[in-house]
């Protein structure tokens, strides 16, 4: 049974811009900014651009370290993408940052025509992905993956935590061609360092834990939630496996097929994105193409709707992606 109630409870707004980290959870400050500063130290071709949001994408650390390599483009996302494309044509490696809603919805044609069509080496890193802000549909990028998956040749990354981001930065920098990465900023949760042997590998999905009853295929912050749910449901003797897929495109189809085939368990795709056009539909298409049929299949994403404004914990509960709500949804699907 879905955790999204038919009658909406009254929203509280005291935590409108609350951190996605739970109380007491380990965090790491500005992993993107710090990783980019470290990587760029020996690579003078790396430059940074922002559309008046350097502080809010952690790119201000790069600007402080390399002021001559930082370009403030103002509130002009189309110009941001056009300039990034031009710099890439000159042999530089631009990292362009803004909020995900502005980088995708406002500048889509410029990414498509200026950057992607010419396969330029631009790295687009966008904060506030999915439901990571309480400021309503104007700031909630719940459809960015659907939009960006449609662009030919674009690599798409949805990291889970600070470790994923730190390890992804040099890998996306060294990948030839355009990249879109969802960005967690500020005090970012740190969870994957507790998974033995885990390392981010561009294009690869990783099995983080095993379980016989449910397979959760997830990306972004929903991998963090899936790991929490696996711990919770273990108390009820429900085994939950978690396959983390931080690269949305190209999708690691081989790992997904291997995890599903010959396993009689419910498959749940959990993502911080609309159920339309994201990881869930990509996984479903993969299974159909490879003629792999799971015991059951469900999407644990955000609804196809304009979401409310309010406190993040309230919204995550309302739309079924909090720890408690996701666990309840999975138990309901198991019957």
């Amino acid at each position: 049974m879905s955790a999204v109630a038919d009658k909406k409870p009254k929203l509280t707004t005291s935590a409108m811009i609350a951190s996605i980290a739970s109380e007491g959870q380990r965090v790491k400050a500005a992993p993107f900014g710090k990783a980019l500063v470290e990587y760029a130290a020996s690579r003078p071709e790396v430059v940074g651009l922002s559309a008046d949001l350097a502080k809010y994408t952690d790119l201000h650390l790069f600007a402080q370290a390399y002021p001559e390599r930082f370009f403030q483009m103002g509130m002009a996302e189309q110009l941001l993408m056009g300039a990034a494309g031009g710099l890439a044509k000159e042999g530089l490696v631009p990292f362009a940052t803004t909020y995900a809603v502005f980088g995708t919805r406002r500048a889509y044609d410029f990414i498509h025509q200026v950057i992607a069509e010419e396969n330029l080496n631009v790295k687009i890193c966008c904060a506030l992905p999915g439901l990571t802000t309480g400021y309503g549909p104007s700031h909630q990028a719940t459809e960015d993956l659907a939009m960006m998956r449609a662009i030919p040749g674009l690599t798409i990354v949805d990291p889970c935590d600070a470790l994923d981001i730190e390890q992804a930065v040099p890998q996306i920098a060294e990948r030839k061609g355009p990249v879109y990465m969802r960005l967690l900023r500020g005090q970012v949760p740190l969870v994957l360092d507790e998974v033995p042997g885990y390392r981010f590998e561009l294009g690869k999905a990783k099995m983080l834990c095993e379980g016989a009853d449910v397979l959760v295929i997830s990306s972004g912050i929903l991998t963090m939630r899936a790991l929490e749910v696996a711990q919770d449901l273990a108390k009820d003797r429900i085994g939950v496996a978690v396959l983390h897929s931080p690269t949305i495109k190209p999708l690691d189809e081989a790992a997904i097929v291997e995890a599903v085939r010959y396993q009689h368990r419910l498959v749940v795709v959990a993502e911080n994105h609309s159920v339309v056009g994201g990881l869930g539909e990509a996984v479903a298409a993969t299974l159909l193409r490879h003629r792999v049929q799971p015991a059951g299949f469900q999407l644990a994403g955000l609804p196809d709707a304009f979401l409310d404004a309010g406190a993040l914990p309230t919204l995550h509960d309302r739309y079924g992606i909090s720890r408690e709500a996701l666990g309840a949804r999975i138990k309901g699907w198991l019957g």
Side-chain angles (χ1 to χ4, degrees):
M1 183 176 67
S2 173
V4 181
D6 293 331
K7 288 187 177 181
K8 297 180 180 180
K10 183 178 179 180
L11 286 169
T12 56
T13 57
S14 59
M16 182 75 82
I17 52 173
S19 169
I20 59 172
S22 304
E23 186 176 349
Q25 186 172 29
R26 292 181 307 121
V27 296
K28 203 163 188 180
F32 169 73
K34 291 177 180 177
L36 188 60
V37 166
E38 180 180 351
Y39 178 80
S42 60
R43 292 166 176 82
E45 69 276 12
V46 173
V47 295
L49 303 87
S50 188
D52 204 35
L53 287 171
K55 180 179 177 181
Y56 302 101
T57 59
D58 293 337
L59 193 67
H60 67 291
L61 299 179
F62 180 92
Q64 293 166 3
Y66 314 109
E68 74 287 354
R69 292 156 62 182
F70 172 73
F71 303 92
Q72 176 56 268
M73 308 307 297
M75 293 184 182
E77 290 79 12
Q78 296 171 346
L79 176 62
L80 170 70
M81 299 305 171
L87 290 168
K89 280 192 169 184
E90 296 301 314
L92 299 173
V93 181
F95 275 73
T97 74
T98 182
Y99 287 164
V101 286
F102 305 147
T104 57
R105 298 205 300 250
R106 289 186 182 175
Y108 188 82
D109 191 48
F110 285 73
I111 295 172
H112 189 284
Q113 293 298 110
V114 175
I115 295 172
E117 187 178 10
E118 298 195 48
N119 197 38
L120 297 179
N121 210 21
V122 177
K123 317 306 170 184
I124 303 164
C125 301
C126 290
L128 300 188
L131 190 52
T132 54
T133 174
Y135 282 125
S138 66
H139 283 63
Q140 293 162 350
T142 60
E143 67 290 284
D144 61 324
L145 296 180
M147 295 175 67
M148 303 307 266
R149 282 182 62 224
I151 297 179
L154 184 68
T155 296
I156 302 173
V157 178
D158 187 17
C160 165
D161 72 343
L163 180 65
D164 253 357
I165 292 170
E166 288 174 340
Q167 296 182 353
V169 165
Q171 293 185 41
I172 67 172
E174 291 165 14
R175 185 177 182 87
K176 298 302 180 185
V179 176
Y180 175 75
M181 184 170 79
R182 287 178 134 197
L183 181 61
L184 306 174
R185 59 156 301 274
Q187 299 294 328
V188 179
L190 183 61
V191 295
L192 293 178
D193 62 325
E194 295 183 349
V195 177
Y198 178 81
R199 284 196 60 80
F200 173 89
E201 289 184 67
L202 191 61
K204 297 294 183 181
K206 298 292 182 73
M207 189 67 77
L208 304 184
C209 61
E210 280 288 0
D213 302 304
V214 184
L215 169 66
V216 178
I217 302 173
S218 55
S219 68
I221 63 170
L222 263 292
T223 291
M224 177 173 63
R225 295 286 172 253
L227 289 170
E228 293 168 345
V229 168
Q231 292 179 346
D232 295 342
L233 295 191
K235 299 171 185 175
D236 297 324
R237 297 186 178 180
I238 299 173
V240 178
V242 178
L243 180 66
H244 177 42
S245 180
T247 306
I248 307 297
K249 186 180 179 182
L251 192 65
D252 189 353
E253 296 192 359
I256 291 168
V257 168
E258 180 181 358
V260 176
R261 180 174 277 161
Y262 309 128
Q263 303 280 347
H264 189 75
R265 55 189 177 187
L266 170 69
V267 173
V268 175
V269 183
E271 59 182 323
N272 176 33
H273 184 271
S274 166
V275 293
V276 176
L279 176 63
E281 291 190 353
V283 169
T286 295
L287 296 180
L288 280 171
R289 282 199 306 272
H290 290 272
R291 300 184 180 182
V292 174
Q293 184 172 351
F297 185 88
Q298 296 288 346
L299 300 180
L302 299 169
D304 179 23
F306 294 106
L307 307 185
D308 293 320
L312 274 182
T314 306
L315 294 176
H316 283 198
D317 273 335
R318 172 169 293 180
Y319 295 116
I321 64 169
S322 68
R323 177 177 188 163
E324 296 77 13
L326 181 60
R329 294 173 88 176
I330 291 174
K331 288 180 76 171
W333 287 325
L334 284 170

